[in-house]
Amino acid sequence: MVLRLVDVMARDLGVTRKPGDDAAGHAFAVRTTFTALRFWMQACCIDDGYGGAMGITQTSVEGKASDWIVQLNAMYPWLEDVFTSTMLHQYCSALVGVGDLARTDEGTLRCTRPHNLAVPYGTPHQVYKDGTAVTAQLGLRDLSMQDWRACVLSGAIVFAGVPEHDGMVSFDPEAIDPRLPYHDELLFLATWPGG
């Protein structure tokens, strides 16, 4: 029963097991929780009593996320050590940095509508000069309805238009243009914990 929760979340989000995952499923549970956290924080912003029109403070988002982690930790007792308050703050700030959550003039956070963010992308350490880009899919999306062709789920971000290498479609985080103003936030969301 306990493993079923992570399995259901993973199926809905498109998170897959990796050959190097430990037999107990710790890495898989952490990876799935990390991916789901993006959508949990977005949902918190909608739960403001006004259908998301007002938003809630970042402190409240992080507090609700922390409560969710505590509940999950009852079934997966290693999560609380991984998802610390510092990490949750960095995560929420990263969502604001890439435009997945928007800060209002009143200082609250609102969930953004589904939108695409073009991310200049190329071979590692040599960004293409021809304007090649992948698309980060942001905003509150139903990933269970996602058309996964030519898409890669990396961390908490879905990338579309990822180039094919040797017949394999995969996302290389080192290929994100390092000059982007939101580079660090995008990299955190795409690669933590360990890609």
Side-chain angles (χ1 to χ4, degrees):
M1 174 66 176
V2 170
L3 290 179
R4 287 181 51 85
L5 177 60
V6 159
D7 290 336
V8 169
M9 288 193 308
R11 185 188 65 236
D12 289 346
L13 295 169
V15 178
T16 57
R17 295 183 185 272
K18 294 184 176 182
D21 283 350
D22 56 289
H26 292 186
F28 180 65
V30 168
R31 204 163 55 250
T32 301
T33 302
F34 181 81
T35 303
L37 185 57
R38 169 190 175 189
F39 302 99
W40 186 261
M41 287 185 168
Q42 290 173 326
C44 289
C45 293
I46 294 172
D47 190 23
D48 62 359
Y50 299 94
M54 300 294 291
I56 64 174
T57 65
Q58 182 165 344
T59 303
S60 295
V61 172
E62 293 169 15
K64 289 184 178 198
S66 179
D67 291 345
W68 181 62
I69 295 297
V70 168
Q71 291 174 7
L72 287 176
N73 194 66
M75 295 176 280
Y76 307 96
W78 55 90
L79 292 179
E80 210 168 18
D81 294 335
V82 176
F83 294 91
T84 64
S85 59
T86 300
M87 182 271 184
L88 293 175
H89 177 72
Q90 183 180 6
Y91 196 112
C92 192
S93 297
L95 292 178
V96 173
V98 299
D100 215 17
L101 298 177
R103 193 175 307 280
T104 68
D105 292 340
E106 292 78 28
T108 59
L109 298 182
R110 293 181 62 198
C111 182
T112 57
R113 294 173 187 249
H115 65 285
N116 294 331
L117 179 67
V119 179
Y121 187 82
T123 57
H125 311 294
Q126 179 183 346
V127 175
Y128 293 130
K129 297 186 181 357
D130 65 0
T132 300
V134 295
T135 302
Q137 298 180 350
L138 304 176
L140 192 59
R141 294 175 180 265
D142 182 356
L143 287 190
S144 66
M145 304 292 287
Q146 175 76 36
D147 180 1
W148 289 98
R149 288 173 297 193
C151 288
V152 172
L153 175 67
S154 183
I157 302 289
V158 175
F159 289 94
V162 175
E164 190 170 303
H165 300 286
D166 300 324
M168 296 285 294
V169 176
S170 61
F171 175 72
D172 184 353
E174 291 185 19
I176 299 175
D177 189 338
R179 299 168 293 192
L180 290 176
Y182 47 83
H183 174 268
D184 292 344
E185 293 87 350
L186 192 62
L187 200 62
F188 172 80
L189 292 168
T191 61
W192 198 98

